Amino acid sequence: MTCPLLSFVVFLAVVLLHLVAYCKAALVDSSGIVVGGAGRFKDDDPLWTARYDPATLLIHMNTVGNISLRLEGFTTADLQDQPNIQLKSERSHVATVLEGAIPIAEIRNNGIFEGEFNVTGSFLGSANLYVELRTKDNRTVASKEKLPVTVIREERVIDKVFTISVAVLVSILYINFGAALDIPTLKVIARKPIGPVIGFLAQFLFMPLLSYGLGHVLFPDSYEMQLGLFFTGVSPAGGASNIWTVVLGGNLNLSLAMTTISTFAAFGMMPLWIFTLGKTIFNKGNLGVPYRNIASFAIGLVVPLGIGLLIQRYSPRTSRILVRILKPMAAILILFIVIFAIVTNLYLFELFSWQIIVAGLGLPWIGYVFGYIASKVARLPTTDALAISVETGIQNTGIAIFLLRFALPQPEADLTTVVPVSAAIMTPFPLMALYLVMKLRERYSVRKDELIPKGQSRHALAPTAEDETP
């Protein structure tokens, strides 16, 4: 249970960081820093112009970039009433201009100013720099010309180590999955595939539609965030579903069968959703569909599974060893990804908003409920219903993160991964709560049995019809 406890600690840290970020934003906003830029300006059309060199600025987070600014076309009317002229940022939490004041004395000579300024990349994202003229009577005019600034995260050695190590461990785990496949059990399930059919429909019909709808409701103006949630919803079931199925007493064979079917089906279903419904998000957001990268990723998953099946057929002894270490390996992989991802991506927690938290809660939790209800409507036993419920709610967020890294440029790729990260953090909480409830009920039943005198059964102590007759 180390993983759920760690997730709980991370959740508390997220809430605390979110409160700090909210207070910080409130202080920044109250201090008079412009948020949103031109929305606060009058519709005056300035005759003076601003020229920036370079025309666009790309800097790394926590570094300083240099730009040249040329202003020309100022008139005497522009410079009366002791104006204040500054180079400012529309999003100061992303990019900040240090000492952006422009000396008016230099402009009064010939209506021209030339100078250099330092811009600090404070956080991931995009911002526009602009020139603001504010008169003594608070009349404000902004330059029509703006300088786009993009702040990205510098690629670090630890990031490459994390990506490579996760790819290697996931490949090894999928070899183990291939070795653990019980072909006879799969044949039995194939003869009466009610559970797999429900799991397939829940995984690849309900979850994509749910993620698409939630994305439009929670992020109506952010196509990148919509894409992050949609990629999470169209991903196959995660390997953790098999572990949780065992913990909760579900049908492990059915869980493994559905995980296998889900993994293979993802090769066709993910491109189908991405190139149909997902294409509307790509078109609206002017994003490119990563056809080649998605195909490469699909091949990267099917090859380890094939290796596992070959090992199972030609080396049964090795296969038995791989099956024996499957569960601990899966648990270690989950812990490794969670801990390493938190350490390398602490900056993501500053991006958590109520929409991000609701998205992370809503997608897996609604998936659990839908999978369980659908199974019970089909009159499946509770063990099967638990397996289908867990399989539906747990998504392979690693696939979603990789797809986002392939599909989006920086910094959007890093910013958007906050959605699958939120889903990964929120996923274990209802399962952990259900496990605790089951343990408490089990412990209560044991205590109740201990209170019954030896040699007597519960039925012996139960009142008879004659005892209840007055």
Side-chain angles (χ1 to χ4, degrees), residues 312-348:
Q312 180 184 153
R313 181 173 182 179
Y314 295 105
S315 182
R317 185 178 179 182
T318 305
S319 178
R320 286 193 294 271
I321 296 174
L322 292 177
V323 172
R324 195 176 300 130
I325 65 174
L326 175 60
K327 291 179 184 178
M329 268 203 64
I332 290 172
L333 178 60
I334 292 172
L335 284 173
F336 175 81
I337 292 177
V338 170
I339 295 173
F340 212 152
I342 291 173
V343 172
T344 57
N345 301 299
L346 282 173
Y347 67 92
L348 283 177

Side-chain angles (χ1 to χ4, degrees), residues 134-149:
R134 184 186 294 272
T135 61
K136 190 176 182 180
D137 59 354
N138 261 347
R139 188 176 61 88
T140 305
V141 181
S143 60
K144 294 182 295 183
E145 302 81 15
K146 298 181 180 181
L147 171 65
V149 179

Side-chain angles (χ1 to χ4, degrees), residues 214-235:
L214 277 178
H216 278 73
V217 171
L218 295 174
F219 313 108
D221 299 321
S222 177
Y223 303 115
E224 291 81 8
M225 291 298 180
Q226 290 179 24
L227 194 65
L229 191 58
F230 184 68
F231 273 1
T232 306
V234 300
S235 296

Side-chain angles (χ1 to χ4, degrees), residues 94-110:
V94 173
T96 306
V97 181
L98 302 177
E99 299 179 358
I102 298 170
I104 301 175
E106 295 187 23
I107 304 177
R108 282 182 172 149
N109 295 332
N110 53 10

Side-chain angles (χ1 to χ4, degrees), residues 15-195:
V15 174
L16 181 60
L17 286 171
H18 177 56
L19 290 174
V20 171
Y22 179 82
C23 295
K24 179 181 177 182
L27 290 174
V28 169
D29 187 60
S30 63
S31 64
I33 296 178
V34 174
V35 180
R40 295 189 178 184
F41 302 138
K42 295 180 67 176
D43 293 332
D44 298 338
D45 190 9
L47 298 178
W48 47 270
T49 58
R51 297 287 182 268
Y52 309 95
D53 187 23
T56 60
L57 181 63
L58 177 67
I59 55 177
H60 289 115
M61 192 166 59
N62 299 321
T63 61
V64 178
N66 183 265
I67 65 166
S68 297
L69 173 65
R70 177 181 174 87
L71 300 176
E72 55 186 353
F74 281 99
T75 64
T76 303
D78 294 324
L79 302 177
Q80 66 184 2
D81 299 328
Q82 299 179 357
N84 176 281
I85 305 177
Q86 285 190 329
L87 178 64
K88 306 185 74 171
S89 172
E90 288 185 355
R91 305 178 68 195
S92 56
H93 68 284
V94 173
T96 306
V97 181
L98 302 177
E99 299 179 358
I102 298 170
I104 301 175
E106 295 187 23
I107 304 177
R108 282 182 172 149
N109 295 332
N110 53 10
I112 297 175
F113 167 81
E114 289 183 321
E116 293 187 349
F117 295 90
N118 291 326
V119 181
T120 301
S122 303
F123 196 70
L124 299 176
S126 300
N128 289 323
L129 301 187
Y130 62 94
V131 178
E132 176 188 284
L133 183 149
R134 184 186 294 272
T135 61
K136 190 176 182 180
D137 59 354
N138 261 347
R139 188 176 61 88
T140 305
V141 181
S143 60
K144 294 182 295 183
E145 302 81 15
K146 298 181 180 181
L147 171 65
V149 179
T150 303
V151 181
I152 63 174
R153 184 168 56 92
E154 187 175 7
E155 191 71 20
R156 302 166 298 175
V157 175
I158 192 173
D159 297 316
K160 294 181 179 179
V161 171
F162 175 63
T163 302
I164 295 173
S165 59
V166 169
V168 172
L169 289 173
V170 168
S171 298
I172 295 174
L173 185 63
Y174 269 77
I175 292 175
N176 287 37
F177 276 134
L181 288 178
D182 189 354
I183 304 300
T185 303
L186 291 179
K187 289 180 179 178
V188 172
I189 294 175
R191 294 192 191 101
K192 194 176 180 181
I194 299 177

Side-chain angles (χ1 to χ4, degrees), residues 211-445:
S211 63
Y212 186 85
L214 277 178
H216 278 73
V217 171
L218 295 174
F219 313 108
D221 299 321
S222 177
Y223 303 115
E224 291 81 8
M225 291 298 180
Q226 290 179 24
L227 194 65
L229 191 58
F230 184 68
F231 273 1
T232 306
V234 300
S235 296
S241 61
N242 308 128
I243 301 172
W244 277 109
T245 299
V246 174
V247 170
L248 297 175
N251 188 336
L252 178 59
N253 287 325
L254 177 59
S255 177
L256 285 172
M258 288 190 297
T259 301
T260 306
I261 294 171
S262 174
T263 302
F264 281 108
F267 304 141
M269 296 305 297
M270 287 183 67
L272 175 65
W273 281 113
I274 291 172
F275 300 150
T276 53
L277 194 60
K279 200 171 183 180
T280 62
I281 304 176
F282 279 103
N283 291 338
K284 291 177 183 177
N286 195 25
L287 308 171
V289 182
Y291 297 93
R292 181 180 299 177
N293 294 321
I294 292 174
S296 301
F297 190 81
I299 294 172
L301 288 183
V302 82
V303 170
L305 274 175
I307 294 174
L309 287 171
L310 291 175
I311 292 174
Q312 180 184 153
R313 181 173 182 179
Y314 295 105
S315 182
R317 185 178 179 182
T318 305
S319 178
R320 286 193 294 271
I321 296 174
L322 292 177
V323 172
R324 195 176 300 130
I325 65 174
L326 175 60
K327 291 179 184 178
M329 268 203 64
I332 290 172
L333 178 60
I334 292 172
L335 284 173
F336 175 81
I337 292 177
V338 170
I339 295 173
F340 212 152
I342 291 173
V343 172
T344 57
N345 301 299
L346 282 173
Y347 67 92
L348 283 177
F349 295 126
E350 294 188 33
L351 298 173
F352 270 61
S353 61
W354 71 266
Q355 292 97 331
I356 297 294
I357 295 175
V358 170
L361 289 171
L363 189 63
W365 292 28
I366 296 175
Y368 294 141
V369 174
F370 178 83
Y372 191 83
I373 293 176
S375 303
K376 282 302 182 180
V377 170
R379 297 182 179 180
L380 295 179
T382 301
T383 54
D384 290 5
L386 279 172
I388 294 172
S389 174
V390 172
E391 196 78 13
T392 303
I394 294 182
Q395 306 297 112
N396 194 328
T397 53
I399 292 180
I401 291 173
F402 275 110
L403 285 176
L404 290 171
R405 294 284 172 88
F406 288 143
L408 301 176
Q410 295 293 357
E412 287 81 5
D414 281 336
L415 290 171
T416 311
T417 55
V418 68
V419 179
V421 167
S422 175
I425 291 174
M426 304 303 173
T427 293
F429 287 108
L431 303 179
M432 182 174 62
L434 179 59
Y435 176 77
L436 293 175
V437 169
M438 293 172 63
K439 281 297 180 183
L440 289 174
R441 289 183 61 183
E442 182 181 325
R443 189 170 182 180
Y444 175 75
S445 298

